[in-house]
């Protein structure tokens, strides 16, 4: 990470020198290289944070359904109620790649706090989702 950031900043400084010499395109590159360095730092921090949170349980987020009082008092206010979503079980007949992909999507839905890289097809049984894990809409 340090090597990349240093290299990108040096390349940016090199482009500043070229831009001073009259190369107009180098002005754009002089701004671009430091942005690359900032992106490397951003990705590094994000990966460090993900690694530190790896063993911690995912906090459950409860959607807020409370309506602010000033909104509820507005004339013509009608509260929104979402229709319940029906989940149909797809058969496992047909293309094995499509079946595997559908199982992967089902796993992602059943595990909203986990990363896609944590998916292990051998550990997952299709149709094994727990409705209590899904946010419910009151309707």
């Amino acid at each position: 990470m340090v090597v990349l950031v240093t290299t990108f900043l040096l390349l940016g400084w090199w482009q500043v020198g070229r831009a001073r010499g009259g190369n107009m395109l180098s002005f754009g590159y002089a701004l671009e290289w430091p942005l690359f360095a900032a992106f490397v730092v951003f990705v590094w921090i994000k990966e460090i944070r993900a690694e530190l949170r790896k063993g911690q349980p995912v906090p459950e987020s409860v959607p807020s359904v409370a309506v602010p009082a000033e909104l509820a008092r507005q004339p013509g206010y009608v509260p929104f109620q979402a229709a319940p979503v029906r989940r149909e079980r797809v058969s496992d007949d047909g293309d094995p790649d499509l079946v595997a992909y559908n199982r992967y999507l089902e796993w992602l839905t059943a595990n909203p706090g986990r990363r896609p890289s944590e998916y292990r097809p051998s550990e997952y049984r299709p149709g094994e989702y727990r409705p209590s894990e899904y946010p419910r809409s009151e309707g």
Side-chain angles (χ1 to χ4, degrees):
M1 195 265 320
V2 173
V3 172
L4 278 177
V5 170
T6 304
T7 303
F8 289 162
L9 291 176
L10 287 174
L11 285 170
W13 186 250
W14 171 62
Q15 290 294 333
V16 167
R18 290 190 61 189
R20 285 183 189 157
N23 187 344
M24 298 307 282
L25 184 61
S26 292
F27 280 114
Y29 289 126
L31 295 174
E32 191 175 70
W33 285 111
L35 288 177
F36 287 157
F39 181 72
V40 167
V41 172
F42 168 75
V43 170
W44 180 73
I45 290 172
K46 184 174 176 158
E47 288 301 314
I48 292 296
R49 292 182 70 195
E51 193 66 29
L52 291 174
R53 283 186 302 224
K54 201 172 205 173
Q56 297 176 355
V58 178
E60 291 187 28
S61 62
V62 179
S64 172
V65 293
V67 177
E70 63 270 6
L71 179 62
R73 288 192 298 263
Q74 294 291 322
Y77 172 73
V78 177
F80 173 78
Q81 293 184 346
V85 177
R86 294 181 185 214
R87 300 188 187 276
E88 294 182 19
R89 183 78 179 115
V90 179
S91 76
D92 286 346
D93 299 338
D95 184 15
D97 290 335
L98 182 60
V99 170
Y101 183 67
N102 285 335
R103 287 183 182 167
Y104 170 69
L105 292 177
E106 187 178 0
W107 180 86
L108 284 175
T109 303
N111 299 284
R114 300 198 43 203
R115 300 180 88 174
S117 61
E118 297 173 5
Y119 174 68
R120 302 287 180 262
S122 59
E123 298 173 5
Y124 178 67
R125 292 179 196 67
E128 192 179 81
Y129 70 91
R130 291 164 291 287
S132 62
E133 293 180 359
Y134 295 97
R136 299 189 129 224
S137 60
E138 302 298 324

